[in-house]
Amino acid sequence: MMKIHLVLPLLGLLSLSCAHTDFFTSIGHMTDLLNTERDLVASLKDYIKEEELKLAQIRKWADKLDHLTDTATKDPEGFLGHPVNAFKLMKRLNTEWVQLENLVLKDISDGFISNLTIQRQYFPNDEDQTGAAKALIRLQDTYNLDTDTISKGNLPGVKHKTSLTAEDCFDLGKIAYTEADYYHTELWMEQALRQLDEGEESSVDKVMVLDYLSYTVYQQGDLDKALMLTKRLLQLDPEHQRGNGNLRYFEYIMSKESNKSSSSLSEGEEVRTRKGRPKDHLPERQKYEKLCRGEGVKMTPRRQKRLFCRYYNCNRDPLFILSPTKQEDEWDKPRIVRYHDIISHEEISKVKELAKPRLRRATVHDPQTGKLTTAQYRVSKSAWLSAYEDPVVARLNNRIERVTGLDMSTAEELQVANYGVGGQYEPHFDFGRKDEPDAFKELGTGNRVATWLFYMSDVEAGGATVFPEVGAAVYPKKGTAVFWYNLFESGEGDYSTRHAACPVLVGNKWVSNKWIHERGQEFRRPCNLSELE
């Protein structure tokens, strides 16, 4: 019998630049891209004036981008706070401007091309565009958003509503396809097809979408739907080689399955089942994402009554006797407290000013090597500030010491982090566990006894700090800070402090944190013989 093989759609290999290996996950950095794009539009318009009659197509392109960049540069952080805007910025600079260059090269204009060539060294690459796409998909999953909601830009708290085209949806589906993520490929290809069916004009046609979609649903286990989509493809393009091959393959498989008796199935024949969202490395994924959505918080009314707000003089510290700080209980076990108005707007501005030039992709501690490395579960940019660099940093360190009563001389430097589109830090511990004996050996200051976290911005949607083990959620509020102990007084780790930074859905999240270590706390927080106290 002649074997029939399924023919699958292939994608061109991504040409990743070795010189550029960072995702644009900081809105602070992406504002520079908006200004770059604005300059490119101006250069493009000059070129159009020189060859008006020949370049009508380019004029249309420029007019569209002129309006977009004009709006964006008036409020760049607000504009890029919308994840769709951030994705489309990546896509435009990485893909569409390259297409435009090829068009312009047909009739060379030295001025525009030289400007574009100079600016391209600052452009995002395929890896950045893929990172922005994955961020959108991450938001889709975490916040239970359907593709139509994202495509229409109907997100909470947005200042600059924008939509995805059918081509944008198609590209998101292709990126998921390259990752063999057929679940999200199907969702985004269906959205692209839906928008094309509604009459949207696009450079992507239905045949291209159906080609990917039919193979994707087959991989998802839905053979009937795959066959139906393939037949629809062939109605549009009867000579489509891959479509005709797949039609024969699907019909062959279906006829083969229809001939199987129920007895053969009972003997262990695998039944085709529809797959769902891909499994990942995180065991508490569902619990974590529910908390990010504001669901699953486990605070009972009885426990809530025991949480209070108070004026706190920090154990009669002279600085706080006349001007006590505002302290609020956020959670009981582990005890998480929030301090209101603990950092001023001026101090926040200075910290951000110091940090912005140094922002780099945030790293995590690798327990195997003991070294810092980047990881997909931490998507943000960070910088470290020392007390000697500026009086503001020294003042903040001193304030943390006086409020907590802990010695800052062995604490780590102030870490400033900016979470851009889809920025997150999945559930993790701040302290080193018993299976990581060398976690902070290089520092020589013991384990991380406590965490202090400044919130330096409000976030329109998402971005909460959640504690999946206990069902707690703490929301960003500019000018406040939260504090908790990672270790019991015995020195044992408190595993209930496992926490996460939820993805930023809309907005721009700035935080800074201080990790306080054991050394120097011997008389400030004496050891307790009880292991869990």
Side-chain angles (χ1 to χ4, degrees):
M1 179 183 295
M2 181 181 66
K3 290 187 176 180
I4 302 176
H5 298 282
L6 177 65
V7 184
L8 60 153
L10 297 175
L11 288 179
L13 294 175
L14 297 179
S15 55
L16 299 181
S17 168
C18 296
H20 184 97
T21 58
D22 198 7
F23 293 132
F24 280 72
T25 54
S26 166
I27 286 181
H29 280 174
M30 283 197 291
T31 55
D32 295 334
L33 290 180
L34 277 176
N35 292 325
T36 297
E37 190 172 34
R38 177 65 175 171
D39 291 341
L40 287 170
V41 175
S43 178
L44 176 61
K45 293 186 74 175
D46 289 340
Y47 174 72
I48 292 172
K49 290 176 183 178
E50 295 175 8
E51 300 193 38
E52 186 72 37
L53 297 176
K54 297 180 182 179
L55 303 173
Q57 184 178 356
I58 298 177
R59 176 179 289 280
K60 182 179 179 181
W61 189 310
D63 289 340
K64 179 184 73 172
L65 290 180
D66 187 29
H67 173 72
L68 175 65
T69 52
D70 184 56
T71 302
T73 51
K74 289 177 182 177
D75 181 16
E77 289 203 354
F79 182 83
L80 289 168
H82 194 307
V84 170
N85 284 334
F87 164 73
K88 294 187 76 169
L89 177 62
M90 299 294 103
K91 180 173 176 287
R92 283 196 306 275
L93 290 175
N94 179 53
T95 305
E96 296 178 5
W97 279 99
V98 175
Q99 295 172 353
L100 180 63
E101 180 186 7
N102 293 332
L103 182 62
V104 171
L105 284 172
K106 294 178 181 179
D107 192 1
I108 295 175
S109 171
D110 293 338
F112 174 72
I113 295 301
S114 61
N115 188 19
L116 184 58
T117 302
I118 292 169
Q119 297 288 5
R120 186 183 289 114
Q121 62 183 311
Y122 307 112
F123 278 15
N125 61 11
D126 288 321
E127 187 177 353
D128 294 304
Q129 183 177 337
T130 298
K134 287 182 177 179
L136 269 181
I137 291 172
R138 181 162 57 246
L139 294 172
Q140 175 186 1
D141 290 340
T142 303
Y143 296 104
N144 270 352
L145 302 171
D146 59 63
T147 53
D148 192 60
T149 297
I150 297 175
S151 182
K152 292 179 179 177
N154 294 328
L155 302 179
V158 296
K159 294 180 181 178
H160 304 276
K161 185 175 178 179
T162 190
S163 59
L164 291 170
T165 64
E167 183 183 353
D168 295 330
C169 297
F170 179 70
D171 287 340
L172 281 165
K174 285 200 298 183
I175 287 171
Y177 182 87
T178 61
E179 301 286 321
D181 177 3
Y182 300 117
Y183 171 76
H184 291 106
T185 304
E186 179 180 357
L187 293 177
W188 283 106
M189 290 298 176
E190 284 184 336
Q191 180 65 30
L193 185 61
R194 188 157 46 244
Q195 291 179 204
L196 292 173
D197 285 342
E198 291 170 357
E200 180 181 319
E201 293 185 8
S202 176
S203 60
V204 174
D205 60 38
K206 295 180 184 180
V207 171
M208 295 169 65
V209 177
L210 288 166
D211 191 13
Y212 279 99
L213 188 54
S214 60
Y215 177 74
T216 296
V217 297
Y218 167 76
Q219 286 290 344
Q220 288 279 86
D222 194 341
L223 188 57
D224 290 332
K225 186 175 180 180
L227 183 61
M228 179 269 291
L229 291 168
T230 303
K231 288 180 177 179
R232 183 180 173 186
L233 183 157
L234 291 173
Q235 286 177 349
L236 298 171
D237 183 2
E239 304 301 319
H240 196 280
Q241 184 177 1
R242 186 162 45 241
N244 280 297
N246 288 347
L247 177 65
R248 291 192 295 272
Y249 177 80
F250 292 149
E251 289 176 339
Y252 167 74
I253 293 295
M254 291 190 75
S255 65
K256 191 175 179 182
E257 289 187 352
S258 65
N259 292 331
K260 293 175 182 174
S261 63
S262 58
S263 60
S264 64
L265 288 174
S266 64
E267 292 170 1
E269 186 73 28
E270 183 180 353
V271 179
R272 191 183 302 276
T273 57
R274 190 170 181 78
K275 298 177 184 178
R277 180 177 163 186
K279 293 182 180 180
D280 63 17
H281 61 280
L282 196 62
E284 69 254 67
R285 170 73 62 188
Q286 187 175 3
K287 190 187 300 183
Y288 154 60
E289 291 185 347
K290 284 182 68 176
L291 286 170
C292 290
R293 295 193 296 270
E295 306 167 7
V297 178
K298 296 182 179 179
M299 179 57 67
T300 63
R302 183 176 181 181
R303 289 167 60 196
Q304 182 74 44
K305 290 179 181 179
R306 299 173 185 169
L307 303 181
F308 297 96
C309 297
R310 64 188 68 80
Y311 286 104
Y312 180 54
N313 63 18
C314 308
N315 295 321
R316 299 190 61 78
D317 185 295
L319 184 66
F320 293 100
I321 289 177
L322 294 178
S323 180
T325 185
K326 302 168 187 174
Q327 188 187 69
E328 177 187 1
D329 295 330
E330 285 280 356
W331 206 259
D332 50 359
K333 291 184 179 180
R335 186 168 186 243
I336 307 169
V337 293
R338 186 193 295 264
Y339 296 92
H340 292 265
D341 302 320
I342 199 68
I343 181 171
S344 69
H345 294 299
E346 292 75 19
E347 288 171 330
I348 289 173
S349 296
K350 187 62 180 180
V351 169
K352 289 168 67 174
E353 177 189 329
L354 293 169
K356 277 183 178 180
R358 306 189 217 168
L359 287 174
R360 298 292 183 270
R361 178 70 185 270
T363 56
V364 296
H365 204 280
D366 188 333
Q368 304 299 323
T369 65
K371 297 180 180 179
L372 294 175
T373 182
T374 59
Q376 287 300 319
Y377 59 83
R378 187 179 191 186
V379 184
S380 64
K381 285 188 175 177
S382 65
W384 299 84
L385 303 180
S386 300
Y388 65 81
E389 295 181 55
D390 193 275
V392 168
V393 181
R395 188 162 67 242
L396 291 175
N397 287 346
N398 179 261
R399 189 176 304 154
I400 297 170
E401 178 164 341
R402 299 179 84 154
V403 171
T404 63
L406 298 175
D407 188 353
M408 293 298 114
S409 65
T410 59
E412 296 175 45
E413 293 178 341
L414 188 70
Q415 182 182 220
V416 183
N418 180 214
Y419 295 82
V421 51
Q424 64 162 0
Y425 193 176
E426 290 182 354
H428 62 281
F429 298 101
D430 280 352
F431 64 91
R433 274 80 66 211
K434 290 182 177 180
D435 59 348
E436 303 173 296
D438 298 330
F440 305 108
K441 187 176 181 180
E442 293 178 1
L443 299 177
T445 53
N447 212 340
R448 288 173 176 167
V449 66
T451 296
W452 177 281
L453 179 65
F454 284 117
Y455 290 115
M456 302 198 301
S457 67
D458 294 313
V459 179
E460 285 84 347
T465 305
V466 298
F467 295 73
E469 295 296 315
V470 295
V474 180
Y475 295 92
K477 184 178 180 183
K478 187 176 181 179
T480 71
V482 291
F483 173 78
W484 67 87
Y485 282 103
N486 297 306
L487 306 180
F488 293 111
E489 290 181 358
S490 63
E492 292 294 321
D494 184 351
Y495 283 79
S496 67
T497 61
R498 183 171 170 84
H499 60 286
C502 294
V504 176
L505 178 57
V506 177
N508 185 16
K509 180 181 176 183
W510 284 90
V511 298
S512 57
N513 65 277
K514 195 78 174 174
W515 281 312
I516 306 167
H517 283 250
E518 290 178 292
R519 299 294 178 264
Q521 322 305 340
E522 292 83 357
F523 298 104
R524 300 190 182 217
R525 191 183 188 236
C527 187
N528 192 314
L529 296 180
S530 176
E531 184 177 356
L532 299 180
E533 290 184 6

